[in-house]
Amino acid sequence: MWQSSPPGSIYDYIRVASFSLGPDGRIDRWSRRAEEMLGIPADAAVGKDPVEAFVPRELRDTAHRKVSRILDGREWTGLVPYRSVGDPEGPGVSGLAEIYVMPSETERGEPAALCLVVDVRALRGIETDLAAAQAVFGQSPLGFVLFGTDLRMLRVNERFTTVFGGPASRYRGGGPHDFLPGPEADRMAAALRRVLDTGDPVSELQLLGTVPGEQERRRWSVSLYRLHSGSGRPIGVAALASDVTGRRRAEREAANARRNLALLNEAGARLGNSLDLETTARTLLDVAVPQFCDLASVDLYQGLLAGDEAPPGMADGSAELRRVAFSSAVSGAVPGAVLRGAHDSDACPLGDPADPVAVGALHRYPFHSPRASALRTGQPQIIPARECPEHTEGGSLVHSTLAVPMVARDTVVGLAQFSRTKGSEPFGERDTALAVELAARAAVCIDNARLYRREHERAVILQRSLLPPVAPEAAGLDIACRYLPGTTATEVGGDWFDVIELPGHRTALVIGDVMGRGLRAAVAMGELRTAVRTLALLDMEPAEVLSALDEVARGLGASGEGARTPGRTPRRPAADAPHAGADLSEVYLATCVYAVYDPVTRRCTFANAGHLPPVLVEDGEPARLLDVPPGLPLGVGGEPFEESVVELPDGALLALYTDGLVESREHPLDEGLGALRAALSRAGRPLEEACDHVLNALDTRHGEDDIALLMARVRGLPKDAVGDWNLAPEPRSVARARELARDQLAEWDLDVLADTTELLVSELVTNALRHGRGEIRLRLLLDRTLVCEVWDADLAQPRRRRARDTDEGGRGLQLVGLLSAGWGTRRTPRGKTVWFELNLPDGEASVGDPAEALLSLF
């Protein structure tokens, strides 16, 4: 009897059975496959006609006709219906069998036959499955490869041959090295061997290759799995490969887009946070390196940095530039060495084209260079590897440079360069667009910083020009002063101080602070300082000076119909008026202390407009804040200012200062004032040393505000330097005044000034008798100059006029003006004072000849 086929063989799928017929046409042998397939045991089939054995009764007539020639000695194939379960007479599962009859003979030469029975339905199913498998294999958009156990290709589909070229027969028997480059083929072979040995599938194996006729490298994603026979024996490996080049490109573009957006967001967040040119340029490079490129630099037109609106050569891109920033992610890169042109000598320092450009160095780009073209046209230029340096000092190859002009407000202000080294992707259109956007944002910030720097420098120049000399002189006072500007990150403030000489060897000490910053504050400070000096020369009282100065401050912000009239309180804008919520600096508020010191009496009269109080240090005593009424800041208006008179001991130290010295974000104002008093209490005797000690002891390096410090050591005039007499209002007092003046000058060894002094004293005393009233007072003061004052009780001020040739009088004040170094008049609480001043013999001016002066008047 026939044995059943091994499990998992092909016969399990096609359902095949066999039996044989003897010479009589009846079944003489019945296989086990026949028993399983037809459901008829051997003892029920042997000896029977095959039609009667398994063909249903109703079909037997037709079946007899088909098998009537079964033993005629010829091979034939036919379809025979059958019933596969139990008794052929009974019900069962019907099927259609294809019988293949192969004639044979017995040992005696009698005719016999071997019959094969195949289930037609199972056979048709297998054919359908094979057709479907063939369709999938041939029409799949994926590359399909079957590898045998020797890792040789058994079969490839059409997609595979289309990608790699050639007929399918070319690949049969080949391996991974026949269609992949060496390293990739090694990876593929290792993966195939691992899958065949372990049975573990591999997903998403990434392989690189080149399609014939194309330059672009393609990327495939390959999945591998092991194939088994019906018995479970490994028979090979199947590989499914898909071209993911486009998907990878899309993913890369999406990643680049996300990176570009992140870079733009970072640039927007970081750029513009500083008003320093170099800081802004470095911030741009910090954003770009290494996220966008490997090396980068920023060059700016030197002329624009110097304040020129259009430096020579700017139109053609050959103007001087200064390298303000450089950044590199390449180890060993030298600034400039990686961003110089190999063919056009780009970025060469002036006078030495062999050296690289260092940060801060000046250089030019030749007219025909691509970088000059970018500056000239305002369009970015991608500079290929042949026009970039071959190597940096560290040995990294630069394969491309992107030169992007920095355009702000339709003006090219400089050039940003971005370079990529070997191993990085070359610059594309998206990269160029991103670089242009980054450079544009940085250009606006850099131009703002440039404009700010220009305004800041002008404000500093203006502010410095308005401050008094480093060592101002004053009668009866030793003066020391310091001015510390804020850092470059802060704008110029409106701090100022001044030392003004007044008649009678008096001195006005002024310190003030305009609220707000920048050029406008500096201009306002200059106007207020000029107004203070003008008002001081009118010899007004300190409170009157501040009242007039308040009118000036309120008038600074007025224009048009809003201009203020002196003496009239301005009408405040309504809360909903335009600009009602503007910064207070726009209305020019300012604080100020105005003090007048008289060295004869050592009295100092203070008036304060919202400023911090002065500090006084007496010998052996701790420093104290003077109790000076604070008043309202200048520009507020509506309130009078009060005066406070303080008698200053000889040798006392007086300090005036601005809030930058004592106020900071780090500590409250009271703490700063306490530190100032402590520093002044420990200050040394020399005044300059005392100034330095105060600045060193306090935190003056915070850079939040300008700092002004004015210190004065009191040195009253000695008694022997003052001559003071009261004269009766009678004619003989004129001669008495001349006599007193001559005697006093003889005591001072100033006989050379006696004639001039006698003449001028005579004129002033005579005028007091004629035009004044009350007792006359004569006072001579000797310090750096000789001052003569004549006092009377009349308030009418003398007026100088030009006398005609026929006039008998009117030449007295003309004579005083010709012979003196200066003269003037001022009001006093009880009248007026007329004074003149003479330079001492060793002074700058020579003493005039009274006789020549008298002749010149006629």
Side-chain angles (χ1 to χ4, degrees):
M1 182 158 302
W2 292 45
Q3 298 294 323
S4 298
S5 62
S9 68
I10 192 173
Y11 300 105
D12 291 334
Y13 301 101
I14 62 174
R15 299 193 69 190
V16 61
S18 65
F19 63 93
S20 63
L21 301 178
D24 55 357
R26 296 183 176 272
I27 299 172
D28 61 356
R29 292 189 181 186
W30 189 257
S31 68
R32 292 182 181 178
R33 283 275 184 178
E35 290 182 357
E36 295 173 0
M37 175 179 172
L38 301 176
I40 301 173
D43 56 358
V46 174
K48 290 187 178 181
D49 184 280
V51 174
E52 295 177 353
F54 55 84
V55 175
R57 182 181 299 275
E58 64 274 12
L59 299 176
R60 288 176 181 174
D61 292 340
T62 303
H64 276 296
R65 288 195 299 271
K66 289 184 177 183
V67 299
S68 59
R69 295 175 292 125
I70 194 169
L71 296 177
D72 61 359
R74 292 179 298 176
E75 293 185 4
W76 64 272
T77 301
L79 296 177
V80 177
Y82 72 92
R83 181 166 289 137
S84 62
V85 177
D87 184 3
E89 304 297 331
V93 177
S94 297
L96 189 64
E98 182 176 286
I99 299 179
Y100 178 40
V101 178
M102 294 174 286
S104 65
E105 292 181 354
T106 65
E107 295 177 353
R108 294 181 296 207
E110 295 174 331
L114 177 64
C115 301
L116 294 179
V117 182
V118 179
D119 188 289
V120 174
R121 183 177 300 170
L123 186 61
R124 297 292 183 267
I126 291 175
E127 291 176 349
T128 302
D129 292 342
L130 289 175
Q134 181 63 29
V136 170
F137 190 86
Q139 301 173 22
S140 172
L142 304 178
F144 201 169
V145 186
L146 294 180
F147 291 89
T149 55
D150 58 354
L151 302 185
R152 296 290 178 178
M153 289 182 284
L154 300 176
R155 188 175 182 183
V156 298
N157 68 347
E158 186 68 23
R159 173 60 179 165
F160 185 89
T161 59
T162 301
V163 170
F164 290 98
S169 59
R170 169 188 169 188
Y171 298 98
R172 292 194 184 102
H177 289 83
D178 294 317
F179 64 93
L180 288 174
E184 298 298 286
D186 292 340
R187 294 177 57 224
M188 178 73 169
L192 287 170
R193 173 58 60 188
R194 187 168 59 253
V195 171
L196 185 63
D197 292 342
T198 66
D200 296 331
V202 172
S203 300
E204 300 290 331
L205 175 64
Q206 301 296 314
L207 298 173
L208 294 175
T210 303
V211 176
E214 294 186 11
Q215 296 296 327
E216 181 185 9
R217 299 183 71 187
R218 291 191 168 272
R219 182 183 296 270
W220 288 278
S221 177
V222 178
S223 296
L224 305 175
Y225 59 94
R226 190 168 69 181
L227 299 176
H228 303 84
S229 66
S231 61
R233 178 175 53 86
I235 59 174
V237 178
L240 290 174
S242 59
D243 189 341
V244 295
T245 306
R247 188 182 73 186
R248 289 294 182 182
R249 185 186 301 115
E251 291 175 352
R252 186 168 59 251
E253 291 177 354
N256 289 339
R258 290 192 298 269
R259 181 204 62 183
N260 295 350
L261 181 60
L263 283 176
L264 290 177
N265 290 337
E266 183 180 2
R270 297 178 61 182
L271 288 173
N273 291 335
S274 172
L275 288 175
D276 181 72
L277 281 169
E278 288 76 9
T279 301
T280 303
R282 286 194 299 268
T283 301
L284 169 63
L285 302 192
D286 290 342
V287 171
V289 178
Q291 295 90 336
F292 176 68
C293 62
D294 300 311
L295 307 110
S297 70
V298 174
D299 300 324
L300 299 178
Y301 278 121
Q302 177 64 17
L304 292 179
L305 298 179
D308 300 335
E309 292 300 327
M314 182 173 172
D316 60 17
S318 63
E320 275 188 9
L321 295 112
R322 179 161 62 89
R323 180 146 295 172
V324 296
F326 171 83
S327 181
S328 170
V330 179
S331 176
V334 177
V338 294
L339 297 173
R340 294 173 55 198
H343 289 250
D344 54 21
S345 299
D346 277 6
C348 294
L350 300 178
D352 191 358
D355 292 338
V357 177
V359 174
L362 298 177
H363 60 92
R364 284 191 176 96
Y365 292 122
F367 178 81
H368 295 291
S369 67
R371 293 165 175 83
S373 176
L375 290 168
R376 183 169 55 251
T377 63
Q379 300 297 319
Q381 300 284 330
I382 297 181
I383 304 173
R386 66 178 180 274
E387 297 189 31
C388 294
E390 293 185 357
H391 293 277
T392 66
E393 187 175 283
S396 297
L397 181 67
V398 173
H399 64 69
S400 63
T401 294
L402 187 58
V404 183
M406 306 183 73
V407 184
R409 301 175 180 90
D410 297 327
T411 300
V412 177
V413 299
L415 185 72
Q417 297 183 70
F418 308 97
S419 293
R420 287 180 177 173
T421 58
K422 184 178 180 180
S424 300
E425 293 185 4
F427 290 111
E429 293 183 3
R430 293 179 181 271
D431 295 323
T432 304
L434 174 63
V436 169
E437 181 64 23
L438 288 174
R441 295 191 181 193
V444 172
C445 297
I446 286 176
D447 195 51
N448 290 339
R450 178 183 68 85
L451 296 176
Y452 164 76
R453 174 176 289 185
R454 184 176 66 180
E455 179 176 335
H456 187 273
E457 290 174 350
R458 291 177 179 177
V460 168
I461 293 173
L462 174 62
Q463 192 174 37
R464 296 291 193 280
S465 67
L466 295 176
L467 294 176
V470 175
E473 296 181 351
L477 291 174
D478 294 335
I479 302 293
C481 52
R482 296 289 187 273
Y483 177 80
L484 299 179
T487 63
T488 55
T490 60
E491 297 184 56
V492 172
D495 294 12
W496 93 92
F497 63 91
D498 209 346
V499 179
I500 307 170
E501 293 187 67
L502 300 177
H505 286 317
R506 294 170 305 136
T507 303
L509 303 175
V510 189
I511 194 160
D513 185 2
V514 176
M515 297 183 186
R517 298 184 182 277
L519 187 60
R520 295 171 64 86
V523 169
M525 177 271 285
E527 293 181 342
L528 291 177
R529 179 178 181 271
T530 302
V532 169
R533 297 190 68 87
T534 302
L535 296 170
L537 294 177
L538 296 177
D539 214 352
M540 301 170 63
E541 295 297 323
E544 294 177 344
V545 170
L546 292 187
S547 295
L549 200 62
D550 179 61
E551 293 289 343
V552 174
R554 285 189 287 162
L556 289 179
S559 61
E561 63 181 8
R564 296 173 173 85
T565 302
R568 179 180 301 171
T569 302
R571 179 172 60 87
R572 293 295 180 190
D576 58 349
H579 310 295
D583 187 357
L584 289 177
S585 62
E586 296 297 318
V587 297
Y588 295 102
L589 296 180
T591 63
C592 179
V593 169
Y594 185 86
V596 176
Y597 172 69
D598 188 342
V600 178
T601 63
R602 296 198 310 275
R603 290 180 179 176
C604 191
T605 304
F606 295 92
N608 190 358
H611 202 79
L612 295 173
V615 179
L616 180 65
V617 185
E618 301 180 30
D619 286 343
E621 299 290 336
R624 61 186 176 92
L625 298 176
L626 291 179
D627 187 14
V628 177
L632 294 177
L634 302 175
V636 175
E639 294 293 333
F641 296 96
E642 301 181 38
E643 293 181 355
S644 177
V645 180
V646 179
E647 186 171 340
L648 304 178
D650 198 35
L653 184 64
L654 180 68
L656 305 177
Y657 52 94
T658 56
D659 56 0
L661 182 65
V662 295
E663 192 172 18
S664 170
R665 296 186 184 95
E666 303 299 327
H667 55 74
L669 177 60
D670 290 344
E671 183 178 330
L673 290 173
L676 174 62
R677 293 198 304 271
L680 287 171
S681 299
R682 296 189 296 269
R685 296 296 296 174
L687 198 56
E688 294 293 334
E689 292 182 11
C691 258
D692 294 335
H693 172 76
V694 170
L695 295 181
N696 291 331
L698 273 67
D699 179 18
T700 58
R701 297 176 179 83
H702 51 72
E704 297 172 9
D705 198 358
D706 294 353
I707 295 173
L709 174 63
L710 177 62
M711 297 178 64
R713 181 85 70 186
V714 176
R715 303 293 184 198
L717 287 181
K719 291 182 179 181
D720 58 3
V722 179
D724 195 349
W725 307 276
N726 291 325
L727 303 172
E730 54 188 20
R732 62 181 181 180
S733 294
V734 177
R736 176 61 178 163
R738 290 198 296 268
E739 181 182 353
L740 292 170
R742 179 174 288 275
D743 292 343
Q744 186 64 64
L745 291 180
E747 269 187 48
W748 290 338
D749 294 328
L750 293 176
D751 294 327
V752 69
L753 298 179
D755 292 341
T756 302
T757 304
E758 279 190 68
L759 178 59
L760 298 185
V761 165
S762 177
E763 289 294 334
L764 294 187
V765 173
T766 300
N767 283 343
L769 284 172
R770 289 182 178 179
H771 307 293
R773 60 184 179 86
E775 189 177 48
I776 299 173
R777 181 183 177 188
L778 173 65
R779 188 167 74 168
L780 295 178
L781 305 176
L782 178 62
D783 193 70
R784 291 177 293 109
T785 61
L786 175 67
V787 174
C788 175
E789 298 176 329
V790 176
W791 309 47
D792 68 70
D794 190 71
L795 294 176
Q797 301 291 312
R799 181 174 60 86
R800 181 179 176 180
R801 64 184 180 88
R802 182 175 297 279
R804 293 174 294 182
D805 294 343
T806 57
D807 291 343
E808 296 182 359
R811 296 180 177 84
L813 293 181
Q814 292 186 42
L815 185 63
V816 173
L818 285 173
L819 293 177
S820 67
W823 77 279
T825 179
R826 70 177 186 274
R827 291 181 180 178
T828 65
R830 296 182 180 180
K832 69 176 181 296
T833 299
V834 182
W835 58 271
F836 68 84
E837 185 175 11
L838 295 177
N839 291 318
L840 300 182
D842 56 351
E844 296 179 0
S846 60
V847 179
D849 186 350
E852 293 181 0
L854 286 172
L855 290 176
S856 68
L857 297 177
F858 297 94

